[in-house]
Each structure stands twice: as structure tokens, then as C-alpha cells.
Amino acid sequence: MSSTETTVLVTVTGGDKPGVTSVLFAALARHEVDVLDVEQVVIRGRLTLGVLGSCPRDFDALHDELVDAMHTVGVDVDVEVGAARGRAGLSTHAVVVLGRPVTARAISVLSRELASQGVNIDSIRGIADYPVTGLELMVSVTNVGDEADAKLRQSLAVIASGVGIDIAVERGGLARRGKRLIVFDVDSTLVQGEVIEMLAAHAGVEEEVRAVTESAMRGEIDFAESLHRRVATLAGLDASVIDDVADELELTPGARTTIRTLRRLGYHCGVVSGGFRQVIDGLAHDLELDFVKANTLEIVDGKLTGRVIGDVVDRAAKAVALRQFASEVGVPMEQTVAVGDGANDIDMLTAAGLGIAFNAKPALREVADAALSYPFLDALLFVLGVTRDEIEAADSIDGLTTRIPIP
């Protein structure tokens, strides 16, 4: 082997223990190796550590020293000369797999589909064990562009449905961790249930209102029309019921953790709701949200009139609100995230840089960038590239780490 510079891939495997990394890099340093890439994973005490580097000195001497050095710490080493430094013309994507559980069959089917599309799996790591199992696959995609991304998402959505997991696909790199504004729908997204139905229960018209709500969520009737029809049934209801319903609101599991984590990461957080300001203002204050956009119920002489004040926050208005929020804080639209569950959220999710459908109706799932089917809102953090370890590490600073038993 000549002494001219060459590229080497060093792979260390064996039982994990203190000192392995130190011994490895000391040997590399003695041969003046420049590090190009490093990746390490430990699964149940078994270490795999890979280092890609350029070696300006004698390869044979490096190989022999690495074998001897790693033997002293009881691990194996493989040294490959001429390893590729990169693959030109490829795009890196993150494929996030979530499930309870994630079966070997699911990974087999997924990997086979990726291979059929010429997508190479570069690395796999575990990102969550609670409330769902989460795996992150970093992949190299040969077909680059929005149309190719949409095709990949669609094919993997079919796979996900067939094997009972969630699969989200997003372009990797800085753009993935560069999101800075997130907007949530409220009813059946940030909170459990529908506020209008909770109000209707006090008026004794819950079933009538629920039927209209479900029709609107499926996209069968115009939202503005459905809102007016539902609110009309509340005419004459005492305004004190608003406070009662506000007190009854229950956050979706993981919602508080999600908001708290995103705020720590520097996100601006807000809600855009087809529901009512008077009901959700207290919740927004409690969660320290930056933005709130919702409808306003008309109240006269302490009674609901059955009408709303001002323009209706409908499907189109939700997208307008997202753009307005982004403009106010100087965040480009490609760095925004929108989360919702119904047809009324379609425009908002398609306008956002990343649209996430949460336990959503088919009309929304079809246009969303990612769809989550488990009832834990913090699962969306994994799609954004945040691991469970990062969440718990942040929470432990405030002594807030808790785990709620899952039945």
C-alpha cells in the first residue's frame, strides 16, 4: 500500500465499556487521520462504532495498530480501505416508524418497499420507547423533488396501514430541525372531544350537534354552514356554561409535554380553532401559547344568542391565521408546522412546511405530510426529530419527568 492519502472506514464491534472510544481515536490520531463522519449505537450493551476518515500515512501500519489497540479493550475492529465518502446526486430523508409494537414483519415489509424504490437505509436508531416504540431510519433517496417525495410518502402510507404502524417521511438535514412555529387545531387534537358538543350537552341537543360536526369533519358540508347550524341550537343557554365547559376540558395525552418541549426548543406555539375563544382562552394562558385564533360566541344579557361575532374561522381562515402568525414572528412558511384532525384543517396543513394529521379523518390524511394514529400527541415530537431521551432530559431539569401507565 502506498503512503498516499486514502479513505478508510473503521468499524468497531463488541461489548460496550469505558475507554473504547478513547483507545480508537488515540490510534487514529497517531496516524494523523482526518475524521469525515462518525456514528455509534449501543443496543443492550453491544457497541457498533463506525468512523470514516482520510488517512495520509501507511494504511497497513494503521490497520495493524488498530487491531492491536482494540484488542486491548476486548473489541473487534474491521478496517476497509477506499470507503466511499458520500453518494452524489442523493437526498437524505428521515423515515420515522412508530408503533405499539413495531414488529419485525413491519420492518421487513418497509425495508423491502424502500429497496424496491432504490432507497438505501444508511442508519437506524431507536428514538422512543414510550408512549410508542419509535425508530428513525436515515435513508438516501435517488429521486429528488416534491413529486418524488409525495410518491414515497404515499407508498409508505399504504405499507403503514397494512402492518399497523405509523410512518412519517421528511427531508433530513437542517430543515428538519429548523422548524420554529407550530399551530394546533384544538378540538380532538390539543384537547379531547369537541367543545361545541360539550356546550350542546348542557342544552340537551348533543346528538343533533354531533351529527352535524361529524358531517363537517368528513368534508360533506361547508364548515361555516355547519357552525351556524350548531351554534343556533345553543340560543338561550346561560353564559356561565362557558366557564363550566372550560373547566371540563381535558388535554390530549402528551399535549402538555409537547408544548413544553417545543417551547424549550425555541418554537412559537399557538392554536387556530373553529371552536370558541371564550372557552379556550384559559387553556391557552395555562399552556403559555403565543397565538390564539378562534370564533367568538355572541352573548346578550348573560345568554348565548345562538350566533357568532365577526368572521368565521373556517378552513380558509385557518391557513390565513397560520401565515399571519408566521409573518408576525418572522418565520418562513417552510419552517412552520400545522397539526389537525379534520377536513377544516386541510388548507392549514397544506400551507405549512410540515402538515401532521393527528388521528384524522381520511380527507385530511390524504393531503398531510405525516399521519399519526396513536392517541399520544407527543408522538409528533419524534417526527420533528426529537427523541424520548431529549424530552426526558429536558423535563428532569425541572423535576417534571413522569410516566403515566398505559392500559
Side-chain angles (χ1 to χ4, degrees), residues 7-9 36-37 52-53 80-87:
T7 306
V8 294
L9 175 63
L36 303 174
D37 196 8
L52 182 67
E80 177 187 345
V81 65
R85 296 183 58 164
R87 304 210 309 245

Side-chain angles (χ1 to χ4, degrees), residues 105-140:
R105 175 177 175 270
I107 298 301
S108 173
V109 174
L110 169 61
S111 58
R112 187 164 58 245
E113 176 64 23
L114 291 173
S116 73
Q117 297 195 36
V119 177
N120 185 71
I121 301 174
D122 299 323
S123 67
I124 304 176
R125 66 167 180 158
I127 55 174
D129 62 354
Y130 171 89
V132 294
T133 298
L135 302 175
E136 180 186 78
L137 287 65
M138 299 306 298
V139 303
S140 296

